[in-house]
Amino acid sequence: EEYFDRRAPYGNGERDFDAEHAKVLSYMGIALARSGQMTDAMIRLKLALDLYDGSLRNRRDLDPDRAATLVNLGVVLATSSQLAEAIDRYEAALGLYKDELKDRHDLDLDRAKTLMHLSVALMELSQLPKAIGRLKQALRLYAGGLKDRDDLDPDRARALVRLGCALVQSRQLAGAIIRLKQALDLYA
């Protein structure tokens, strides 16, 4: 699975100690998840979120980091077959991506990747209309501000393939063929 990795600079002061502590907990959660220790990963990621939602709740500058932690927890939950909880975390993360923070992070890419994770969980729960909608949102982001990023062609292709599969499952075969052809073009 793909985990978010934020490296946001923080200023000085005691409030930043909590921000750094949350960041370290989040990194520890990622490391534990990558080593297969999902329960311990969940604990660390939830502790990081406790800090973000507690002493750091008024720090809007940390919303991208809070969102990344939510997505990472969602990935761990989905890997542990806790799909409904994973969906809640992905949706919460999407609500934190604010356009005024765009200078600091590539939020369109974060949104697109979060939508991709969300769509997989929705598909696994057979919520195909919602999954299709979220995949179309991701593809709009890839076609918008991210269209000139050739390094994202594999991500675009995965989104098209997932959308094609969801459309096949929904018996929307004409649309599935179009999306899968588009994916094949990216692989050419």
Side-chain angles (χ1 to χ4, degrees):
E1 293 292 332
E2 180 182 341
Y3 297 91
F4 279 29
D5 183 10
R6 285 268 165 247
R7 289 185 176 84
Y10 300 113
N12 297 321
E14 287 182 32
R15 285 182 46 164
D16 287 335
F17 181 80
D18 283 346
E20 291 170 13
H21 185 198
K23 181 68 108 182
V24 172
L25 285 166
S26 188
Y27 284 142
M28 184 65 161
I30 294 168
L32 289 165
R34 287 185 175 156
S35 69
Q37 300 175 55
M38 296 305 181
T39 301
D40 290 335
M42 274 188 242
I43 291 169
R44 294 321 184 288
L45 291 165
K46 287 178 180 179
L47 286 171
L49 287 172
D50 287 346
L51 282 171
Y52 285 126
D53 295 336
S55 63
L56 301 171
R57 72 182 162 277
N58 294 322
R59 294 277 307 271
R60 295 299 97 187
D61 61 311
L62 297 177
D63 279 355
D65 300 315
R66 181 182 286 113
T69 302
L70 283 163
V71 171
N72 290 331
L73 180 56
V75 170
V76 171
L77 289 164
T79 302
S80 302
S81 299
Q82 298 177 46
L83 297 171
E85 289 182 50
I87 289 168
D88 290 343
R89 297 317 185 282
Y90 298 141
E91 293 284 2
L94 287 170
L96 291 173
Y97 298 130
K98 305 283 193 272
D99 288 332
E100 65 266 16
L101 299 174
K102 197 168 189 96
D103 292 342
R104 190 167 151 219
H105 296 292
D106 192 349
L107 293 182
D108 283 345
L109 180 57
D110 291 352
R111 284 183 186 117
K113 288 185 175 193
T114 302
L115 288 163
M116 293 286 289
H117 286 299
L118 175 57
S119 69
V120 170
L122 290 167
M123 286 175 70
E124 288 193 31
L125 289 178
S126 298
Q127 296 181 20
L128 296 176
K130 287 182 182 178
I132 289 168
R134 293 308 195 167
L135 286 164
K136 286 180 178 179
Q137 281 182 286
L139 286 167
R140 280 194 295 276
L141 290 168
Y142 285 123
L146 301 173
K147 68 180 172 206
D148 296 328
R149 299 261 319 257
D150 293 337
D151 61 313
L152 296 178
D153 282 351
D155 292 336
R156 281 185 197 87
R158 276 190 288 280
L160 288 163
V161 169
R162 287 182 183 153
L163 179 55
C165 291
L167 291 168
V168 166
Q169 291 176 8
S170 296
R171 307 238 190 292
Q172 299 176 45
L173 301 179
I177 290 168
I178 291 168
R179 296 307 184 164
L180 293 169
K181 281 183 181 178
Q182 291 172 334
L184 286 172
D185 289 343
L186 288 172
Y187 288 116

PDB file of all heavy atoms in Angstrom, residues 54-89:
ATOM      1  N   GLY A  54      -6.513  17.367  19.570  1.00  0.00           N
ATOM      2  CA  GLY A  54      -6.466  17.933  20.920  1.00  0.00           C
ATOM      3  C   GLY A  54      -5.747  19.264  20.923  1.00  0.00           C
ATOM      4  O   GLY A  54      -6.281  20.286  20.471  1.00  0.00           O
ATOM      5  N   SER A  55      -4.501  19.246  21.390  1.00  0.00           N
ATOM      6  CA  SER A  55      -3.760  20.495  21.562  1.00  0.00           C
ATOM      7  C   SER A  55      -3.465  21.215  20.245  1.00  0.00           C
ATOM      8  O   SER A  55      -3.192  22.408  20.243  1.00  0.00           O
ATOM      9  CB  SER A  55      -2.445  20.221  22.305  1.00  0.00           C
ATOM     10  OG  SER A  55      -1.611  19.359  21.541  1.00  0.00           O
ATOM     11  N   LEU A  56      -3.555  20.511  19.120  1.00  0.00           N
ATOM     12  CA  LEU A  56      -3.239  21.124  17.823  1.00  0.00           C
ATOM     13  C   LEU A  56      -4.484  21.419  16.983  1.00  0.00           C
ATOM     14  O   LEU A  56      -4.371  21.793  15.816  1.00  0.00           O
ATOM     15  CB  LEU A  56      -2.304  20.193  17.029  1.00  0.00           C
ATOM     16  CG  LEU A  56      -0.974  19.860  17.698  1.00  0.00           C
ATOM     17  CD1 LEU A  56      -0.247  18.766  16.920  1.00  0.00           C
ATOM     18  CD2 LEU A  56      -0.107  21.098  17.821  1.00  0.00           C
ATOM     19  N   ARG A  57      -5.662  21.284  17.570  1.00  0.00           N
ATOM     20  CA  ARG A  57      -6.893  21.379  16.781  1.00  0.00           C
ATOM     21  C   ARG A  57      -7.085  22.726  16.099  1.00  0.00           C
ATOM     22  O   ARG A  57      -7.757  22.817  15.083  1.00  0.00           O
ATOM     23  CB  ARG A  57      -8.109  21.020  17.626  1.00  0.00           C
ATOM     24  CG  ARG A  57      -8.498  22.031  18.648  1.00  0.00           C
ATOM     25  CD  ARG A  57      -9.705  21.577  19.479  1.00  0.00           C
ATOM     26  NE  ARG A  57      -9.800  22.325  20.690  1.00  0.00           N
ATOM     27  CZ  ARG A  57      -9.118  22.059  21.809  1.00  0.00           C
ATOM     28  NH1 ARG A  57      -8.314  21.031  21.841  1.00  0.00           N
ATOM     29  NH2 ARG A  57      -9.252  22.808  22.882  1.00  0.00           N
ATOM     30  N   ASN A  58      -6.523  23.792  16.627  1.00  0.00           N
ATOM     31  CA  ASN A  58      -6.686  25.116  16.024  1.00  0.00           C
ATOM     32  C   ASN A  58      -5.574  25.466  15.047  1.00  0.00           C
ATOM     33  O   ASN A  58      -5.551  26.572  14.519  1.00  0.00           O
ATOM     34  CB  ASN A  58      -6.773  26.187  17.115  1.00  0.00           C
ATOM     35  CG  ASN A  58      -8.022  26.019  17.951  1.00  0.00           C
ATOM     36  OD1 ASN A  58      -9.076  25.669  17.428  1.00  0.00           O
ATOM     37  ND2 ASN A  58      -7.905  26.245  19.247  1.00  0.00           N
ATOM     38  N   ARG A  59      -4.676  24.555  14.802  1.00  0.00           N
ATOM     39  CA  ARG A  59      -3.542  24.796  13.890  1.00  0.00           C
ATOM     40  C   ARG A  59      -3.937  24.378  12.469  1.00  0.00           C
ATOM     41  O   ARG A  59      -3.689  23.268  12.045  1.00  0.00           O
ATOM     42  CB  ARG A  59      -2.314  24.005  14.353  1.00  0.00           C
ATOM     43  CG  ARG A  59      -1.716  24.417  15.671  1.00  0.00           C
ATOM     44  CD  ARG A  59      -0.760  25.601  15.546  1.00  0.00           C
ATOM     45  NE  ARG A  59       0.284  25.427  14.551  1.00  0.00           N
ATOM     46  CZ  ARG A  59       1.480  24.879  14.781  1.00  0.00           C
ATOM     47  NH1 ARG A  59       1.793  24.449  15.984  1.00  0.00           N
ATOM     48  NH2 ARG A  59       2.358  24.777  13.817  1.00  0.00           N
ATOM     49  N   ARG A  60      -4.570  25.281  11.726  1.00  0.00           N
ATOM     50  CA  ARG A  60      -4.981  24.990  10.351  1.00  0.00           C
ATOM     51  C   ARG A  60      -3.776  24.699   9.452  1.00  0.00           C
ATOM     52  O   ARG A  60      -3.906  24.007   8.459  1.00  0.00           O
ATOM     53  CB  ARG A  60      -5.773  26.157   9.751  1.00  0.00           C
ATOM     54  CG  ARG A  60      -7.100  26.439  10.425  1.00  0.00           C
ATOM     55  CD  ARG A  60      -8.058  25.288  10.350  1.00  0.00           C
ATOM     56  NE  ARG A  60      -7.952  24.548  11.589  1.00  0.00           N
ATOM     57  CZ  ARG A  60      -8.515  23.399  11.899  1.00  0.00           C
ATOM     58  NH1 ARG A  60      -9.259  22.793  11.047  1.00  0.00           N
ATOM     59  NH2 ARG A  60      -8.355  22.813  13.036  1.00  0.00           N
ATOM     60  N   ASP A  61      -2.603  25.231   9.808  1.00  0.00           N
ATOM     61  CA  ASP A  61      -1.413  24.970   9.008  1.00  0.00           C
ATOM     62  C   ASP A  61      -1.007  23.494   9.048  1.00  0.00           C
ATOM     63  O   ASP A  61      -0.249  23.032   8.198  1.00  0.00           O
ATOM     64  CB  ASP A  61      -0.243  25.845   9.458  1.00  0.00           C
ATOM     65  CG  ASP A  61       0.163  25.598  10.904  1.00  0.00           C
ATOM     66  OD1 ASP A  61      -0.735  25.593  11.781  1.00  0.00           O
ATOM     67  OD2 ASP A  61       1.364  25.423  11.160  1.00  0.00           O
ATOM     68  N   LEU A  62      -1.539  22.758  10.012  1.00  0.00           N
ATOM     69  CA  LEU A  62      -1.228  21.333  10.130  1.00  0.00           C
ATOM     70  C   LEU A  62      -2.284  20.439   9.481  1.00  0.00           C
ATOM     71  O   LEU A  62      -2.170  19.214   9.531  1.00  0.00           O
ATOM     72  CB  LEU A  62      -1.060  20.953  11.611  1.00  0.00           C
ATOM     73  CG  LEU A  62       0.097  21.633  12.335  1.00  0.00           C
ATOM     74  CD1 LEU A  62       0.101  21.221  13.806  1.00  0.00           C
ATOM     75  CD2 LEU A  62       1.419  21.299  11.683  1.00  0.00           C
ATOM     76  N   ASP A  63      -3.318  21.050   8.861  1.00  0.00           N
ATOM     77  CA  ASP A  63      -4.361  20.239   8.242  1.00  0.00           C
ATOM     78  C   ASP A  63      -3.822  19.242   7.215  1.00  0.00           C
ATOM     79  O   ASP A  63      -4.274  18.097   7.184  1.00  0.00           O
ATOM     80  CB  ASP A  63      -5.439  21.118   7.615  1.00  0.00           C
ATOM     81  CG  ASP A  63      -6.434  21.629   8.643  1.00  0.00           C
ATOM     82  OD1 ASP A  63      -6.349  21.221   9.830  1.00  0.00           O
ATOM     83  OD2 ASP A  63      -7.293  22.443   8.270  1.00  0.00           O
ATOM     84  N   PRO A  64      -2.852  19.608   6.373  1.00  0.00           N
ATOM     85  CA  PRO A  64      -2.320  18.597   5.445  1.00  0.00           C
ATOM     86  C   PRO A  64      -1.666  17.416   6.175  1.00  0.00           C
ATOM     87  O   PRO A  64      -1.786  16.266   5.736  1.00  0.00           O
ATOM     88  CB  PRO A  64      -1.296  19.368   4.607  1.00  0.00           C
ATOM     89  CG  PRO A  64      -1.775  20.777   4.659  1.00  0.00           C
ATOM     90  CD  PRO A  64      -2.328  20.944   6.057  1.00  0.00           C
ATOM     91  N   ASP A  65      -1.005  17.673   7.287  1.00  0.00           N
ATOM     92  CA  ASP A  65      -0.389  16.593   8.061  1.00  0.00           C
ATOM     93  C   ASP A  65      -1.452  15.751   8.761  1.00  0.00           C
ATOM     94  O   ASP A  65      -1.346  14.522   8.821  1.00  0.00           O
ATOM     95  CB  ASP A  65       0.587  17.168   9.098  1.00  0.00           C
ATOM     96  CG  ASP A  65       1.700  17.954   8.434  1.00  0.00           C
ATOM     97  OD1 ASP A  65       2.246  17.461   7.432  1.00  0.00           O
ATOM     98  OD2 ASP A  65       2.006  19.056   8.902  1.00  0.00           O
ATOM     99  N   ARG A  66      -2.475  16.423   9.285  1.00  0.00           N
ATOM    100  CA  ARG A  66      -3.602  15.720   9.901  1.00  0.00           C
ATOM    101  C   ARG A  66      -4.277  14.835   8.846  1.00  0.00           C
ATOM    102  O   ARG A  66      -4.585  13.667   9.095  1.00  0.00           O
ATOM    103  CB  ARG A  66      -4.591  16.745  10.468  1.00  0.00           C
ATOM    104  CG  ARG A  66      -5.786  16.167  11.160  1.00  0.00           C
ATOM    105  CD  ARG A  66      -6.739  17.268  11.661  1.00  0.00           C
ATOM    106  NE  ARG A  66      -6.193  17.941  12.826  1.00  0.00           N
ATOM    107  CZ  ARG A  66      -5.787  19.215  12.859  1.00  0.00           C
ATOM    108  NH1 ARG A  66      -5.870  19.982  11.783  1.00  0.00           N
ATOM    109  NH2 ARG A  66      -5.314  19.748  13.963  1.00  0.00           N
ATOM    110  N   ALA A  67      -4.473  15.381   7.646  1.00  0.00           N
ATOM    111  CA  ALA A  67      -5.101  14.620   6.561  1.00  0.00           C
ATOM    112  C   ALA A  67      -4.241  13.415   6.181  1.00  0.00           C
ATOM    113  O   ALA A  67      -4.765  12.312   5.978  1.00  0.00           O
ATOM    114  CB  ALA A  67      -5.321  15.519   5.345  1.00  0.00           C
ATOM    115  N   ALA A  68      -2.931  13.603   6.085  1.00  0.00           N
ATOM    116  CA  ALA A  68      -2.039  12.485   5.740  1.00  0.00           C
ATOM    117  C   ALA A  68      -2.130  11.385   6.786  1.00  0.00           C
ATOM    118  O   ALA A  68      -2.148  10.191   6.451  1.00  0.00           O
ATOM    119  CB  ALA A  68      -0.605  12.987   5.600  1.00  0.00           C
ATOM    120  N   THR A  69      -2.207  11.767   8.053  1.00  0.00           N
ATOM    121  CA  THR A  69      -2.333  10.772   9.125  1.00  0.00           C
ATOM    122  C   THR A  69      -3.665  10.038   9.023  1.00  0.00           C
ATOM    123  O   THR A  69      -3.723   8.816   9.208  1.00  0.00           O
ATOM    124  CB  THR A  69      -2.162  11.445  10.502  1.00  0.00           C
ATOM    125  OG1 THR A  69      -0.877  12.092  10.538  1.00  0.00           O
ATOM    126  CG2 THR A  69      -2.245  10.434  11.631  1.00  0.00           C
ATOM    127  N   LEU A  70      -4.725  10.761   8.699  1.00  0.00           N
ATOM    128  CA  LEU A  70      -6.026  10.121   8.505  1.00  0.00           C
ATOM    129  C   LEU A  70      -5.990   9.121   7.349  1.00  0.00           C
ATOM    130  O   LEU A  70      -6.513   8.017   7.453  1.00  0.00           O
ATOM    131  CB  LEU A  70      -7.104  11.174   8.238  1.00  0.00           C
ATOM    132  CG  LEU A  70      -7.603  11.937   9.461  1.00  0.00           C
ATOM    133  CD1 LEU A  70      -8.332  13.214   9.041  1.00  0.00           C
ATOM    134  CD2 LEU A  70      -8.520  11.049  10.292  1.00  0.00           C
ATOM    135  N   VAL A  71      -5.352   9.515   6.260  1.00  0.00           N
ATOM    136  CA  VAL A  71      -5.247   8.607   5.107  1.00  0.00           C
ATOM    137  C   VAL A  71      -4.437   7.379   5.485  1.00  0.00           C
ATOM    138  O   VAL A  71      -4.816   6.245   5.171  1.00  0.00           O
ATOM    139  CB  VAL A  71      -4.644   9.316   3.879  1.00  0.00           C
ATOM    140  CG1 VAL A  71      -4.340   8.321   2.768  1.00  0.00           C
ATOM    141  CG2 VAL A  71      -5.590  10.397   3.378  1.00  0.00           C
ATOM    142  N   ASN A  72      -3.317   7.593   6.166  1.00  0.00           N
ATOM    143  CA  ASN A  72      -2.489   6.446   6.569  1.00  0.00           C
ATOM    144  C   ASN A  72      -3.244   5.508   7.494  1.00  0.00           C
ATOM    145  O   ASN A  72      -3.158   4.287   7.363  1.00  0.00           O
ATOM    146  CB  ASN A  72      -1.196   6.932   7.215  1.00  0.00           C
ATOM    147  CG  ASN A  72      -0.276   7.584   6.210  1.00  0.00           C
ATOM    148  OD1 ASN A  72      -0.295   7.247   5.038  1.00  0.00           O
ATOM    149  ND2 ASN A  72       0.513   8.533   6.672  1.00  0.00           N
ATOM    150  N   LEU A  73      -4.011   6.062   8.410  1.00  0.00           N
ATOM    151  CA  LEU A  73      -4.836   5.220   9.274  1.00  0.00           C
ATOM    152  C   LEU A  73      -5.894   4.497   8.438  1.00  0.00           C
ATOM    153  O   LEU A  73      -6.163   3.316   8.654  1.00  0.00           O
ATOM    154  CB  LEU A  73      -5.487   6.048  10.384  1.00  0.00           C
ATOM    155  CG  LEU A  73      -6.378   5.267  11.357  1.00  0.00           C
ATOM    156  CD1 LEU A  73      -5.619   4.114  12.020  1.00  0.00           C
ATOM    157  CD2 LEU A  73      -6.961   6.215  12.405  1.00  0.00           C
ATOM    158  N   GLY A  74      -6.459   5.180   7.468  1.00  0.00           N
ATOM    159  CA  GLY A  74      -7.421   4.541   6.574  1.00  0.00           C
ATOM    160  C   GLY A  74      -6.820   3.358   5.835  1.00  0.00           C
ATOM    161  O   GLY A  74      -7.445   2.302   5.712  1.00  0.00           O
ATOM    162  N   VAL A  75      -5.585   3.515   5.358  1.00  0.00           N
ATOM    163  CA  VAL A  75      -4.907   2.420   4.654  1.00  0.00           C
ATOM    164  C   VAL A  75      -4.711   1.231   5.594  1.00  0.00           C
ATOM    165  O   VAL A  75      -4.964   0.082   5.224  1.00  0.00           O
ATOM    166  CB  VAL A  75      -3.561   2.892   4.061  1.00  0.00           C
ATOM    167  CG1 VAL A  75      -2.747   1.718   3.537  1.00  0.00           C
ATOM    168  CG2 VAL A  75      -3.789   3.910   2.947  1.00  0.00           C
ATOM    169  N   VAL A  76      -4.283   1.513   6.822  1.00  0.00           N
ATOM    170  CA  VAL A  76      -4.080   0.435   7.806  1.00  0.00           C
ATOM    171  C   VAL A  76      -5.409  -0.247   8.118  1.00  0.00           C
ATOM    172  O   VAL A  76      -5.494  -1.481   8.166  1.00  0.00           O
ATOM    173  CB  VAL A  76      -3.410   0.976   9.088  1.00  0.00           C
ATOM    174  CG1 VAL A  76      -3.401  -0.070  10.193  1.00  0.00           C
ATOM    175  CG2 VAL A  76      -1.986   1.436   8.781  1.00  0.00           C
ATOM    176  N   LEU A  77      -6.458   0.534   8.309  1.00  0.00           N
ATOM    177  CA  LEU A  77      -7.776  -0.037   8.596  1.00  0.00           C
ATOM    178  C   LEU A  77      -8.281  -0.875   7.420  1.00  0.00           C
ATOM    179  O   LEU A  77      -8.803  -1.976   7.611  1.00  0.00           O
ATOM    180  CB  LEU A  77      -8.779   1.077   8.920  1.00  0.00           C
ATOM    181  CG  LEU A  77      -8.564   1.778  10.261  1.00  0.00           C
ATOM    182  CD1 LEU A  77      -9.349   3.091  10.312  1.00  0.00           C
ATOM    183  CD2 LEU A  77      -8.963   0.860  11.409  1.00  0.00           C
ATOM    184  N   ALA A  78      -8.105  -0.373   6.205  1.00  0.00           N
ATOM    185  CA  ALA A  78      -8.545  -1.127   5.021  1.00  0.00           C
ATOM    186  C   ALA A  78      -7.765  -2.424   4.889  1.00  0.00           C
ATOM    187  O   ALA A  78      -8.339  -3.477   4.590  1.00  0.00           O
ATOM    188  CB  ALA A  78      -8.383  -0.271   3.764  1.00  0.00           C
ATOM    189  N   THR A  79      -6.462  -2.370   5.152  1.00  0.00           N
ATOM    190  CA  THR A  79      -5.629  -3.569   5.096  1.00  0.00           C
ATOM    191  C   THR A  79      -6.083  -4.584   6.138  1.00  0.00           C
ATOM    192  O   THR A  79      -5.957  -5.792   5.933  1.00  0.00           O
ATOM    193  CB  THR A  79      -4.141  -3.198   5.316  1.00  0.00           C
ATOM    194  OG1 THR A  79      -3.767  -2.253   4.303  1.00  0.00           O
ATOM    195  CG2 THR A  79      -3.235  -4.397   5.223  1.00  0.00           C
ATOM    196  N   SER A  80      -6.631  -4.081   7.233  1.00  0.00           N
ATOM    197  CA  SER A  80      -7.129  -4.940   8.313  1.00  0.00           C
ATOM    198  C   SER A  80      -8.607  -5.271   8.145  1.00  0.00           C
ATOM    199  O   SER A  80      -9.254  -5.709   9.092  1.00  0.00           O
ATOM    200  CB  SER A  80      -6.891  -4.252   9.664  1.00  0.00           C
ATOM    201  OG  SER A  80      -5.523  -3.968   9.836  1.00  0.00           O
ATOM    202  N   SER A  81      -9.144  -5.039   6.945  1.00  0.00           N
ATOM    203  CA  SER A  81     -10.545  -5.339   6.600  1.00  0.00           C
ATOM    204  C   SER A  81     -11.559  -4.538   7.410  1.00  0.00           C
ATOM    205  O   SER A  81     -12.703  -4.964   7.565  1.00  0.00           O
ATOM    206  CB  SER A  81     -10.830  -6.836   6.732  1.00  0.00           C
ATOM    207  OG  SER A  81     -10.002  -7.562   5.847  1.00  0.00           O
ATOM    208  N   GLN A  82     -11.180  -3.394   7.904  1.00  0.00           N
ATOM    209  CA  GLN A  82     -12.099  -2.503   8.607  1.00  0.00           C
ATOM    210  C   GLN A  82     -12.483  -1.378   7.646  1.00  0.00           C
ATOM    211  O   GLN A  82     -12.130  -0.216   7.821  1.00  0.00           O
ATOM    212  CB  GLN A  82     -11.432  -1.968   9.883  1.00  0.00           C
ATOM    213  CG  GLN A  82     -11.088  -3.076  10.865  1.00  0.00           C
ATOM    214  CD  GLN A  82     -10.370  -2.546  12.082  1.00  0.00           C
ATOM    215  OE1 GLN A  82     -10.783  -1.544  12.667  1.00  0.00           O
ATOM    216  NE2 GLN A  82      -9.288  -3.215  12.469  1.00  0.00           N
ATOM    217  N   LEU A  83     -13.197  -1.764   6.594  1.00  0.00           N
ATOM    218  CA  LEU A  83     -13.434  -0.881   5.461  1.00  0.00           C
ATOM    219  C   LEU A  83     -14.317   0.315   5.799  1.00  0.00           C
ATOM    220  O   LEU A  83     -14.056   1.430   5.330  1.00  0.00           O
ATOM    221  CB  LEU A  83     -14.016  -1.678   4.300  1.00  0.00           C
ATOM    222  CG  LEU A  83     -13.085  -2.756   3.758  1.00  0.00           C
ATOM    223  CD1 LEU A  83     -13.808  -3.637   2.762  1.00  0.00           C
ATOM    224  CD2 LEU A  83     -11.853  -2.135   3.133  1.00  0.00           C
ATOM    225  N   ALA A  84     -15.363   0.119   6.581  1.00  0.00           N
ATOM    226  CA  ALA A  84     -16.248   1.240   6.923  1.00  0.00           C
ATOM    227  C   ALA A  84     -15.473   2.314   7.693  1.00  0.00           C
ATOM    228  O   ALA A  84     -15.637   3.514   7.429  1.00  0.00           O
ATOM    229  CB  ALA A  84     -17.447   0.753   7.726  1.00  0.00           C
ATOM    230  N   GLU A  85     -14.631   1.879   8.622  1.00  0.00           N
ATOM    231  CA  GLU A  85     -13.814   2.848   9.373  1.00  0.00           C
ATOM    232  C   GLU A  85     -12.810   3.523   8.464  1.00  0.00           C
ATOM    233  O   GLU A  85     -12.535   4.722   8.608  1.00  0.00           O
ATOM    234  CB  GLU A  85     -13.103   2.152  10.526  1.00  0.00           C
ATOM    235  CG  GLU A  85     -14.022   1.743  11.655  1.00  0.00           C
ATOM    236  CD  GLU A  85     -13.253   1.095  12.807  1.00  0.00           C
ATOM    237  OE1 GLU A  85     -12.246   1.690  13.245  1.00  0.00           O
ATOM    238  OE2 GLU A  85     -13.657   0.010  13.242  1.00  0.00           O
ATOM    239  N   ALA A  86     -12.233   2.761   7.531  1.00  0.00           N
ATOM    240  CA  ALA A  86     -11.271   3.343   6.583  1.00  0.00           C
ATOM    241  C   ALA A  86     -11.949   4.433   5.757  1.00  0.00           C
ATOM    242  O   ALA A  86     -11.393   5.523   5.572  1.00  0.00           O
ATOM    243  CB  ALA A  86     -10.691   2.256   5.686  1.00  0.00           C
ATOM    244  N   ILE A  87     -13.157   4.152   5.284  1.00  0.00           N
ATOM    245  CA  ILE A  87     -13.902   5.128   4.487  1.00  0.00           C
ATOM    246  C   ILE A  87     -14.124   6.405   5.287  1.00  0.00           C
ATOM    247  O   ILE A  87     -13.945   7.514   4.775  1.00  0.00           O
ATOM    248  CB  ILE A  87     -15.228   4.514   3.994  1.00  0.00           C
ATOM    249  CG1 ILE A  87     -14.931   3.463   2.917  1.00  0.00           C
ATOM    250  CG2 ILE A  87     -16.187   5.591   3.494  1.00  0.00           C
ATOM    251  CD1 ILE A  87     -16.117   2.591   2.554  1.00  0.00           C
ATOM    252  N   ASP A  88     -14.476   6.273   6.562  1.00  0.00           N
ATOM    253  CA  ASP A  88     -14.666   7.460   7.413  1.00  0.00           C
ATOM    254  C   ASP A  88     -13.394   8.297   7.483  1.00  0.00           C
ATOM    255  O   ASP A  88     -13.449   9.527   7.428  1.00  0.00           O
ATOM    256  CB  ASP A  88     -15.087   7.046   8.823  1.00  0.00           C
ATOM    257  CG  ASP A  88     -16.497   6.485   8.884  1.00  0.00           C
ATOM    258  OD1 ASP A  88     -17.286   6.687   7.931  1.00  0.00           O
ATOM    259  OD2 ASP A  88     -16.814   5.821   9.904  1.00  0.00           O
ATOM    260  N   ARG A  89     -12.244   7.641   7.604  1.00  0.00           N
ATOM    261  CA  ARG A  89     -10.971   8.370   7.697  1.00  0.00           C
ATOM    262  C   ARG A  89     -10.646   9.074   6.383  1.00  0.00           C
ATOM    263  O   ARG A  89     -10.202  10.214   6.366  1.00  0.00           O
ATOM    264  CB  ARG A  89      -9.820   7.439   8.074  1.00  0.00           C
ATOM    265  CG  ARG A  89      -9.902   6.766   9.431  1.00  0.00           C
ATOM    266  CD  ARG A  89     -10.365   7.682  10.548  1.00  0.00           C
ATOM    267  NE  ARG A  89     -10.329   7.078  11.861  1.00  0.00           N
ATOM    268  CZ  ARG A  89     -11.219   6.226  12.356  1.00  0.00           C
ATOM    269  NH1 ARG A  89     -12.234   5.813  11.630  1.00  0.00           N
ATOM    270  NH2 ARG A  89     -11.113   5.768  13.589  1.00  0.00           N
TER     271      ARG A  89
END
